[in-house]
């Protein structure tokens, strides 16, 4: 039960981490922020470095140019790189949950376990990296994909 609570907290942290790179034009400092067109360009360039799982596709414009209130959206510089690496991981994590053959499962597992290579993982605060390793990576090494499945099903809806 404690593992489930920790994993739920990790999932919430992941969701917050993926959405906090955005600010409106009402905020004061723009030095570390960029408009959606630049964030989308950054994302597309970063995506070229990652091979999606078979059948998965990259989103055309992952960053919206307007917020729900109509103001222009700005994204933290580096958000495109982080989000592209997370979307890559998601494609493989979701594929892992659906694999039928042992060979397909092994290929997906190998990709999922490369999470440490991603800017997404590297940008997590140390406590979240520890929780991700404990609840997702270490179990996946032994064939327990419940943590990866929970994270993927909760945070990876666009693949």
């Amino acid at each position: 039960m404690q593992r489930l609570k920790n994993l739920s907290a990790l999932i919430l942290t992941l969701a917050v981490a993926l959405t906090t790179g955005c600010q409106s034009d009402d905020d004061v400092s723009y030095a570390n922020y960029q408009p959606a067109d630049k964030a989308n360009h950054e994302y597309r360039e970063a995506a070229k470095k990652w091979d999606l799982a078979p059948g998965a596709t990259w989103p055309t414009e992952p960053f919206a140019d307007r917020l729900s209130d109509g103001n222009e959206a700005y994204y933290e510089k580096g958000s495109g790189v982080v989000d592209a690496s997370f979307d890559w991981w998601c494609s493989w994590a979701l594929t892992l949950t659906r694999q039928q053959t042992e060979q397909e499962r092994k290929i997906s597992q190998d990709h999922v376990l490369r999470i440490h290579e991603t800017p997404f993982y590297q940008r997590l605060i140390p406590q979240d990296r520890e929780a991700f390793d404990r609840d997702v990576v270490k179990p996946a090494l032994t064939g327990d994909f419940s943590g990866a499945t929970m994270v993927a099903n909760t945070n990876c809806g666009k693949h």
Side-chain angles (χ1 to χ4, degrees):
M1 186 59 145
Q2 183 61 35
R3 180 172 178 244
L4 184 57
K5 287 181 183 176
N6 291 341
L7 189 55
S8 295
L10 174 63
I11 289 169
L12 177 60
T13 301
L14 295 176
V16 170
L18 290 171
T19 59
T20 56
C22 180
Q23 78 177 41
S24 75
D25 56 5
D26 293 337
D27 294 323
V28 178
S29 173
Y30 293 101
N32 293 319
Y33 291 86
Q34 60 191 350
D37 63 329
K38 291 186 189 255
N40 284 320
H41 176 74
E42 181 181 70
Y43 180 98
R44 286 189 295 274
E45 288 301 307
K48 292 176 183 176
K49 299 173 184 161
W50 300 100
D51 59 326
L52 288 179
T57 59
W58 295 105
T60 307
E61 298 293 324
F63 296 99
D65 62 348
R66 296 277 168 204
L67 300 173
S68 60
D69 63 5
N71 286 323
E72 184 175 6
Y74 289 84
Y75 299 88
E76 187 174 2
K77 291 178 181 174
S79 293
V81 174
V82 170
D83 285 13
S85 70
F86 186 70
D87 287 347
W88 166 82
W89 185 85
C90 281
S91 77
W92 287 103
L94 287 170
T95 300
L96 181 62
T97 68
R98 298 187 292 255
Q99 292 308 319
Q100 301 298 316
T101 70
E102 184 64 25
Q103 181 181 9
E104 290 171 328
R105 186 201 55 76
K106 178 67 174 135
I107 291 168
S108 295
Q109 180 184 19
D110 290 347
H111 281 81
V112 165
L113 291 172
R114 288 177 50 202
I115 187 70
H116 295 121
E117 299 172 24
T118 67
F120 164 75
Y121 178 88
Q122 294 162 6
R123 194 167 183 184
L124 289 174
I125 60 174
Q127 302 93 300
D128 291 341
R129 286 193 298 265
E130 290 171 19
F132 200 91
D133 285 344
R134 180 189 63 240
D135 297 335
V136 178
V137 177
K138 287 181 182 175
L141 285 168
T142 64
D144 175 2
F145 307 120
S146 59
T149 299
M150 185 177 281
V151 170
N153 288 338
T154 305
N155 295 290
C156 302
K158 59 184 163 188
H159 296 284

